[in-house]
């Protein structure tokens, strides 16, 4: 399977037409069709469903959709590898890839990146957001250098640097909520309320242990992956979102407020990377700078 042919295949998936893809690639339509036919023969699977006579549109088969996802990952990894290898040895320049969930802890990484920018302005940072499963998948595939995860990391699989802060759990609610006058929120306060939980917590996490109720005994009206979307649900009055503090800005002029949980519930976080990872020079420099900044804070 050649990289060039994967690029051809992605062009067809993008254009939804072999003719349009051929034009964008500066190839003849018969040449492109032959290349894709050979790819299908190599894989032993049909990748495209050609339109009826007179229709230029093609659609992907189930196997074609799988290949599209993997081809995008492969080409991104190839690009990343080429950049790392071809950069000058005398100048540290290139890209650092980080995957993370939503957390105010990203500020620590931002401070390190800002300080590093003074001496290495040609290092560029790419942040991808997602839950822990997504972050570790990206890490395992080599698509990111580092991941920020919550709780205890798997030290058999990853090396880790514990971040010197904790995220605080609480409730995001409208300012006209009956709970707004409370300084903290107890489990009992939420037992009869419509709740909006993160997808991971709804499946049984720290929050479910804290609230002391099974999910089936609670009124979970929605789950979320990104808190910004959940905050819109809260703002429209759908329910109360249990989430980390300092992610959604709650100002005096806004419609939302945040109250911490009691008993207090906090979550530790770590930045992780694959064991025996061979870093690019920018990633190596970023990690050493991060470790140095943490050691200075401890002094």
């Amino acid at each position: 399977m050649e990289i060039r042919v994967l690029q051809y295949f992605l062009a067809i998936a993008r254009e939804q037409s072999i003719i349009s893809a051929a034009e964008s690639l500066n190839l003849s339509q018969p040449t492109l069709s032959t290349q894709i036919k050979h790819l299908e023969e190599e894989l032993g699977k049909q990748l495209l469903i050609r339109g009826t006579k007179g229709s230029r549109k093609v659609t992907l088969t189930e196997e074609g959709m799988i290949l599209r996802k993997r081809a995008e990952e492969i080409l991104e990894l190839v690009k990343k590898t080429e950049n790392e290898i071809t950069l000058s040895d005398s100048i540290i320049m290139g890209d650092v890839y980080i995957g993370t969930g939503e957390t105010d802890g990203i500020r620590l990484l931002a401070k390190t990146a800002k300080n590093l920018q003074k001496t290495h302005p040609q290092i560029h940072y790419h942040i991808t957001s997602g839950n822990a499963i997504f972050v570790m998948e990206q890490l395992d595939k080599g698509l990111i250098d580092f991941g920020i995860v919550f709780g205890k990391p798997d030290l058999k699989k990853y090396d880790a640097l514990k971040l010197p802060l904790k995220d605080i759990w609480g409730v995001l609610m409208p300012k006209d909520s009956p709970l707004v006058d409370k300084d903290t929120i107890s489990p009992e306060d939420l037992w009869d309320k419509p709740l909006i939980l993160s997808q991971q917590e709804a499946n049984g996490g720290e929050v479910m242990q804290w609230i002391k109720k099974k999910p089936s005994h609670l009124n979970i009206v929605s789950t979320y992956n990104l808190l910004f979307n959940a905050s819109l649900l809260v703002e429209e009055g759908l329910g109360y979102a249990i989430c980390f503090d300092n992610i959604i800005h709650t100002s005096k002029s806004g419609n939302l407020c945040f109250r911490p949980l009691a008993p207090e519930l906090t979550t530790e976080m770590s930045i992780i990377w694959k064991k025996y990872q061979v870093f690019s020079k920018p990633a190596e420099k970023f990690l050493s700078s991060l470790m140095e900044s943490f050691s200075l804070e401890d002094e």
Side-chain angles (χ1 to χ4, degrees):
M1 191 185 307
E2 298 181 32
I3 297 298
R4 171 177 53 84
V5 179
L6 290 180
Q7 292 171 326
Y8 293 169
F9 173 75
L10 287 178
I12 295 173
R14 180 184 66 246
E15 301 290 340
Q16 297 185 318
S17 166
I18 294 178
I19 295 175
S20 298
E23 291 174 353
S24 70
L25 295 167
N26 293 318
L27 294 174
S28 68
Q29 185 268 330
T31 298
L32 182 56
S33 295
T34 299
Q35 292 288 340
I36 298 304
K37 183 178 180 182
H38 289 165
L39 178 61
E40 290 179 320
E41 290 173 351
E42 179 183 351
L43 296 174
K45 296 290 184 180
Q46 181 180 355
L47 302 173
L48 304 174
I49 300 174
R50 281 74 172 173
T52 57
K53 189 174 182 180
S55 173
R56 300 171 57 178
K57 186 175 181 179
V58 298
T59 56
L60 300 182
T61 63
E62 183 177 350
E63 290 78 10
M65 288 187 285
I66 293 172
L67 180 61
R68 178 178 186 173
K69 182 176 185 296
R70 297 306 180 198
E72 289 171 345
E73 293 172 351
I74 289 168
L75 293 179
E76 182 63 29
L77 190 56
V78 168
K79 179 182 176 182
K80 183 172 181 284
T81 303
E82 288 175 343
N83 289 340
E84 291 172 358
I85 292 175
T86 57
L87 291 175
S88 169
D89 289 334
S90 60
I91 300 175
I92 298 180
M93 58 184 295
D95 303 288
V96 177
Y97 296 84
I98 302 168
T100 178
E102 291 181 297
T103 171
D104 192 55
I106 197 70
R107 292 181 184 273
L108 293 176
L109 277 65
K111 289 178 181 178
T112 297
K114 182 181 179 181
N115 292 333
L116 200 54
Q117 191 179 52
K118 299 173 184 176
T119 53
H120 300 86
Q122 297 188 69
I123 297 179
H124 305 285
Y125 304 88
H126 307 274
I127 310 297
T128 303
S129 298
N131 59 25
I133 295 174
F134 171 82
V135 169
M136 286 186 284
E137 284 180 350
Q138 295 285 295
L139 201 58
D140 292 343
K141 292 174 182 176
L143 298 175
I144 58 176
D145 301 303
F146 306 102
I148 294 180
V149 295
F150 307 109
K152 295 182 179 179
D154 182 359
L155 297 180
K156 293 181 180 179
K157 193 173 183 179
Y158 307 104
D159 286 323
L161 177 64
K162 185 178 176 181
L163 301 185
L165 51 74
K166 296 179 180 180
D167 269 327
I168 298 173
W169 285 96
V171 178
L172 190 68
M173 66 183 83
K175 285 186 176 178
D176 59 0
S177 162
L179 297 181
V180 76
D181 294 329
K182 296 176 68 70
D183 293 328
T184 58
I185 305 300
S186 69
E188 293 81 3
D189 292 328
L190 301 175
W191 286 351
D192 62 344
K193 300 294 188 295
L195 302 180
I196 302 172
L197 303 180
S198 74
Q199 292 170 1
Q200 286 180 270
E201 290 302 319
N203 290 327
E206 292 178 299
V207 169
M208 299 311 301
Q209 296 177 35
W210 173 88
I211 207 168
K212 300 175 184 177
K213 288 281 187 179
K214 294 180 180 180
S216 58
H217 295 166
L218 296 169
N219 181 17
I220 301 175
V221 296
S222 178
T223 62
Y224 67 87
N225 187 28
L226 296 176
L227 183 56
F228 174 75
N229 293 334
S231 72
L232 300 180
L233 302 182
V234 174
E235 198 164 346
E236 292 300 321
L238 184 65
Y240 296 76
I242 303 181
C243 58
F244 289 144
D245 195 6
N246 294 321
I247 298 177
I248 300 299
H249 184 60
T250 53
S251 63
K252 291 183 179 180
S253 60
N255 299 321
L256 302 178
C257 63
F258 180 90
R259 296 291 183 269
L261 303 181
E264 183 183 63
L265 181 63
T266 61
T267 297
E268 295 179 347
M269 66 189 81
S270 301
I271 183 167
I272 64 173
W273 58 95
K274 288 195 296 185
K275 279 188 175 294
Y276 316 113
Q277 173 77 21
V278 178
F279 287 121
S280 65
K281 286 183 173 62
E284 185 177 9
K285 186 64 179 178
F286 176 75
L287 181 59
S288 63
S289 298
L290 194 64
M291 290 178 170
E292 182 179 349
S293 66
F294 288 176
S295 63
L296 289 176
E297 290 183 9
D298 292 338
E299 292 178 359

